[in-house]
Amino acid sequence: MKKVASFICKHKLFIVLCSLFALIPAVLGMQATKINYDILVYLPDDIETMKGQDILTEDFNMGSFSTVIVDGMKPKEILALEEEFKTIEGVEKAISVSDITGTTFPIQMLPENIAEKVSKGDSQLMLVTFHDSISSDETLAAVEQMRSITDKHCKIGGMSAMVLDTQQIADQEILIYIAAAVVLCLIVLMLSLDSWLAPLLLLGNIGLAILYNMGTNYFLGEISYITKAISAVLQLGVTTDFSIFLYHKYEKSKQLYATNNEAMSAAIQETTLSVAGSSFTTIAGFLTLCTMSLTLGADIGLVMAKGVIFGIFSVLVIFPAYLLLFDPLLQKTAHVKWLPSISRISDFTVKHYRKILLVFIILCVPALYGNANTEVYYNLNKSLPDDLSSSIANEELKETYHIVSPSIILVDDSLKPSEIEQLSKELNALDGIDMTLSSALFSEYGISESMLPQSIRSIYQNGDYQAILINSTYETATNELNAQIDEVNKIVKRYDAHGIVAGEGALMKDMVEIADHDFQVVNSISIAVILIIMIFVLKSFLLPIILVAVIEFAIMANMAISFYLGTTLPFIASIVIGTIQLGATIDYAILLTNNYLNLRKSGVEKKQAVGDALKESCDSIFVSALCFFAATCGVGFISKLDMIASICTLLSRGAIISMGTVMIILPALLIVFDKIVLKTTKGFKGGKQA
């Protein structure tokens, strides 16, 4: 490592120029990276509902559909609007009841249960189907063009409209997220560092690492909008402390070495050894998200793990070069640190460690209870503002037409009309289902197949399958709807063992089941992996258990606060928060523990060792936690997307809670378990220095 460090110092100008030239492919890669705004595509491909989506796309040319509410238009105008919609690239069909009644036949002449489902007052429903999937570029562009054509006459509901609104908000806000994170971190660094220029160099260095990370996302094919929105601020929050550590080591080394190059070489070597263990745990924490069945976890995990690697490379290679080149300006812009030291907390912690331990034990009860009872929601509509076009349309569909959770049942084409009719009747008899549309329904009311336009017939029958459209009045991702879908599946399987229930409701049911499983698995794996890594890093058996227990308590307390505040969280936040907070803040505990072990090895008594280790560590932990808080809290306040706002709010709060538990609870535990810790840690024998 010494040769590498010397090379970096000797060729600092070359490294700076390379870092700037590398921005060109990074920016190009970032612009070319496809962003996905549909969470449902991250469901496993082999589940039945996803196979149903493939059948709808390939056999029915219906990768997605939107329900359009047409206001104040006559049948002739509605038919003309249908034709205009059909000219839009990506639109397969545009169908309304006017295709059956024409311009002269009154809708009221249709059977009442059909008429009331397609028309209310001066408004009427239109079904628009799209060739491609819900979130494809072609489908989203088609929905956007439909909105521009219809102006105020129509409201477009459905998943694609919701995804389009999500895309537009996320694209508008992403730069604001980054700006807020940078400004708030800059304030923290200006107060905590001793130079006006150092924070700018530090943030500029991290900015390079973020751009490299975002540019290389191109090779992943695509990333989710959630990953895009939080990866930059998370990378900033997680890797800032590495840069601060190098800067402090460089400033101290300059007092010991004759030249700046020698001082920086020593700082690089010491920083490499110091951040190796903590960076491994952070990377491992992110990578455990890849074990989720919901592949959104892998999306976030890979990007963030890659971001930490780029951050470490940038800190150890690029940042030293910039510090050396701008060293004269660093000295000219020096100032006194304005952020007060909090090292006096060590005296309080050591003096009152028994009381702290008692309070910790008491607090475990509400933390466990609150964490276990925190409510989450799975309905994607709830993560969007109520004033969006899609939200307004979906709410009107629900209130006026009682269309809440439409689904499509796919059965074999060989089923007889009588069987389809009987199947439809059984489905319609279920509580919560108020509409069943099939070819048999029209026959029942004397509307023969030949009387229906081909555009309508092709919706119900195409290729090897027949389709039955059903509507549930239950909200998606609720226990009521999930139980209803189970009943629908049982009925369908009696008529066709290979029948499939497809659509948003069925997809969200799978999402609920998979997410619940992922929540249990990913947390267990992240704890196990980080424990194993820390056993090797700390060369101890008991210490990793204590450290993980402290951070897990912080995670439970963080989640419990949401429960006691009455906050319902989006499901993805509850899954990823534990793994990210554990991986990102365990570093605080490792830093304190390493200092404690070094002091104990040098023969310092346990209370004195814990107190001195805390004095040496607390300012670094404080600044690191403040930077993490600053990078994420702004996004939590700003974002209109609850999926993003909730994750960042939890992370910002989690950074402060983890800081508090490491500074107050961990020292108390180290004092209490000191003897056992020494017996189970390499380098000590019989509880004493080896």
Side-chain angles (χ1 to χ4, degrees):
M1 189 62 208
K2 185 176 181 180
K3 291 182 179 179
V4 175
S6 298
F7 177 88
I8 292 168
C9 298
K10 185 177 179 181
H11 299 90
K12 49 187 172 289
L13 182 59
F14 172 74
I15 290 171
V16 167
L17 292 175
C18 287
S19 72
L20 296 175
F21 279 118
L23 287 175
I24 298 173
V27 172
L28 292 174
M30 182 175 64
Q31 292 175 339
T33 301
K34 188 180 186 309
I35 308 300
N36 176 59
Y37 297 87
D38 180 14
I39 302 299
L40 294 177
V41 303
Y42 293 105
L43 287 167
D45 293 332
D46 57 351
I47 61 175
E48 193 172 77
T49 45
M50 291 299 283
K51 292 177 181 177
Q53 290 300 115
D54 292 338
I55 292 169
L56 288 172
T57 302
E58 294 166 9
D59 289 21
F60 287 83
N61 287 323
M62 189 164 61
S64 59
F65 65 90
S66 286
T67 306
V68 182
I69 304 171
V70 184
D71 292 320
M73 295 181 73
K74 297 177 181 178
K76 185 177 181 180
E77 294 172 315
I78 293 174
L79 291 172
L81 182 60
E82 287 180 16
E83 293 305 315
E84 195 169 1
F85 279 169
K86 291 175 186 176
T87 64
I88 298 173
E89 185 178 356
V91 173
E92 172 68 15
K93 298 181 183 73
I95 304 164
S96 69
V97 72
S98 295
D99 289 295
I100 300 174
T101 61
T103 58
T104 57
F105 190 79
I107 293 175
Q108 290 73 21
M109 296 297 290
L110 291 172
E112 185 179 350
N113 64 336
I114 294 179
E116 68 179 8
K117 278 299 174 188
V118 297
S119 179
K120 297 282 185 180
D122 63 347
S123 72
Q124 190 180 131
L125 295 186
M126 180 189 298
L127 179 69
V128 178
T129 66
F130 305 95
H131 300 295
D132 219 334
S133 62
I134 292 170
S135 59
S136 72
D137 292 339
E138 187 180 70
T139 300
L140 297 183
V143 173
E144 192 168 20
Q145 195 172 342
M146 285 166 58
R147 283 179 174 174
S148 66
I149 290 172
T150 57
D151 194 22
K152 298 179 181 179
H153 291 290
C154 296
K155 301 181 186 74
I156 303 172
M159 283 293 295
S160 293
M162 192 174 73
V163 170
L164 177 61
D165 284 337
T166 303
Q167 179 191 60
Q168 291 173 342
I169 292 177
D171 289 348
Q172 290 168 5
E173 291 186 345
I174 184 68
L175 292 178
I176 302 175
Y177 300 160
I178 296 172
V182 169
V183 169
L184 292 173
C185 278
L186 187 61
I187 293 171
V188 172
L189 294 173
M190 286 291 185
L191 294 173
S192 59
L193 298 182
D194 56 2
S195 168
W196 296 112
L197 180 61
L200 297 175
L201 291 178
L202 190 150
L203 289 176
N205 170 66
I206 296 175
L208 291 174
I210 289 171
L211 289 172
Y212 299 154
N213 188 32
M214 295 177 76
T216 52
N217 289 337
Y218 172 78
F219 298 104
L220 298 178
E222 68 174 26
I223 60 171
S224 76
Y225 78 95
I226 296 175
T227 305
K228 180 184 177 182
I230 69 172
S231 61
V233 296
L234 264 182
Q235 189 175 337
L236 175 61
V238 168
T239 60
T240 298
D241 54 341
F242 300 157
S243 301
I244 294 172
F245 191 88
L246 176 83
Y247 175 74
H248 283 154
K249 287 298 177 184
Y250 172 56
E251 290 297 309
K252 288 181 181 179
S253 296
K254 283 198 295 185
Q255 301 172 14
L256 304 175
Y257 293 88
T259 67
N260 287 347
N261 279 3
E262 291 175 334
M264 182 58 78
S265 178
I268 292 171
Q269 293 173 66
E270 191 168 349
T271 301
T272 302
L273 293 173
S274 298
V275 305
S278 59
S279 63
F280 281 148
T281 56
T282 305
I283 292 168
F286 286 127
L287 287 178
T288 54
L289 292 172
C290 297
T291 62
M292 289 171 56
S293 299
L294 188 67
T295 53
L296 176 62
D299 190 80
I300 297 173
L302 287 173
V303 171
M304 283 313 307
K306 184 160 57 70
V308 175
I309 293 171
F310 274 114
I312 294 170
F313 173 81
S314 185
V315 166
L316 297 178
V317 178
I318 300 174
F319 191 39
Y322 278 87
L323 287 176
L324 288 172
L325 278 179
F326 289 94
D327 187 85
L329 284 176
L330 285 171
Q331 306 312 312
K332 289 181 181 179
T333 58
H335 65 77
V336 178
K337 291 182 183 179
W338 290 340
L339 202 66
S341 174
I342 59 168
S343 58
R344 284 179 294 180
I345 196 174
S346 64
D347 297 330
F348 172 84
T349 303
V350 172
K351 183 179 179 181
H352 301 286
Y353 76 93
R354 288 190 178 91
K355 294 178 182 177
I356 289 170
L357 204 58
L358 178 62
V359 172
F360 167 61
I361 294 170
I362 293 171
L363 287 177
C364 281
V365 177
L368 283 165
Y369 181 81
N371 177 66
N373 291 279
T374 301
E375 292 189 9
V376 299
Y377 68 84
Y378 296 84
N379 191 334
L380 300 179
N381 290 334
K382 291 184 178 180
S383 67
L384 298 176
D386 294 335
D387 58 353
L388 293 180
S389 298
S390 60
S391 300
I392 293 170
N394 288 331
E395 185 64 21
E396 185 169 337
L397 285 169
K398 173 184 173 182
E399 295 297 327
T400 305
Y401 289 92
H402 306 295
I403 296 177
V404 184
S405 304
S407 296
I408 300 173
I409 297 170
L410 298 169
V411 293
D412 196 275
D413 185 47
S414 63
L415 259 66
K416 299 174 183 177
S418 59
E419 292 177 302
I420 295 292
E421 182 178 353
Q422 185 59 35
L423 171 57
S424 300
K425 286 181 179 179
E426 285 194 48
L427 293 172
N428 219 35
L430 290 175
D431 290 339
I433 290 182
D434 71 339
M435 180 181 70
T436 305
L437 292 177
S438 65
S439 56
L441 178 66
F442 292 105
S443 301
E444 184 181 343
Y445 290 105
I447 303 173
S448 65
E449 188 174 329
S450 60
M451 294 171 64
L452 296 173
Q454 174 59 29
S455 58
I456 293 180
R457 291 202 304 270
S458 63
I459 288 180
Y460 296 104
Q461 193 166 13
N462 217 328
D464 298 325
Y465 297 91
Q466 297 184 66
I468 301 171
L469 278 65
I470 63 173
N471 174 61
S472 173
T473 57
Y474 297 148
E475 292 276 3
T476 57
T478 59
N479 293 333
E480 293 83 2
L481 181 65
N482 293 342
Q484 184 190 77
I485 290 173
D486 284 335
E487 291 300 314
V488 169
N489 259 313
K490 289 177 184 177
I491 294 172
V492 170
K493 298 296 185 186
R494 288 207 309 268
Y495 288 85
D496 180 3
H498 302 290
I500 296 173
V501 181
E504 182 186 351
L507 286 168
M508 288 309 301
K509 176 180 181 292
D510 286 336
M511 178 80 79
V512 171
E513 293 172 352
I514 290 170
D516 285 346
H517 173 264
D518 280 344
F519 179 75
Q520 301 299 327
V521 170
V522 76
N523 282 324
S524 300
I525 292 176
S526 64
I527 291 170
V529 168
I530 289 177
L531 273 174
I532 292 169
I533 290 173
M534 287 202 301
I535 286 173
F536 289 99
V537 170
L538 298 174
K539 298 179 177 62
S540 172
F541 177 75
L542 181 61
L543 272 176
I545 297 173
I546 293 174
L547 267 58
V548 169
V550 167
I551 301 299
E552 281 298 313
F553 167 76
I555 293 167
M556 287 189 294
N558 190 13
M559 293 291 287
I561 288 173
S562 297
F563 168 73
Y564 293 114
L565 290 176
T567 304
T568 304
L569 301 172
F571 73 96
I572 194 65
S574 66
I575 295 174
V576 303
I577 183 62
T579 300
I580 295 177
Q581 187 177 337
L582 176 61
T585 64
I586 194 75
D587 300 353
Y588 309 162
I590 292 174
L591 175 62
L592 173 62
T593 304
N594 274 328
N595 289 332
Y596 153 76
L597 288 176
N598 290 334
L599 288 166
R600 290 296 280 139
K601 283 180 180 178
S602 65
V604 180
E605 183 268 334
K606 67 177 180 179
K607 287 187 180 180
Q608 185 68 36
V610 170
D612 290 350
L614 184 54
K615 285 179 181 177
E616 187 177 346
S617 310
C618 63
D619 285 345
S620 296
I621 295 171
F622 183 53
V623 173
S624 178
L626 279 185
C627 285
F628 198 177
F629 173 81
T632 51
C633 72
V635 181
F637 281 112
I638 292 168
S639 181
K640 294 178 182 177
L641 301 172
D642 193 44
M643 199 79 73
I644 293 169
S646 293
I647 291 174
C648 288
T649 298
L650 285 169
L651 288 174
S652 61
R653 192 167 67 203
I656 300 302
I657 296 173
S658 290
M659 176 190 73
T661 55
V662 168
M663 287 186 180
I664 298 173
I665 296 171
L666 178 58
L669 291 170
L670 290 176
I671 292 173
V672 170
F673 292 102
D674 175 80
K675 190 172 183 179
I676 304 175
V677 165
L678 298 190
K679 285 183 177 180
T680 57
T681 302
K682 187 177 180 181
F684 297 89
K685 191 174 182 179
K688 299 179 180 179
Q689 180 185 359

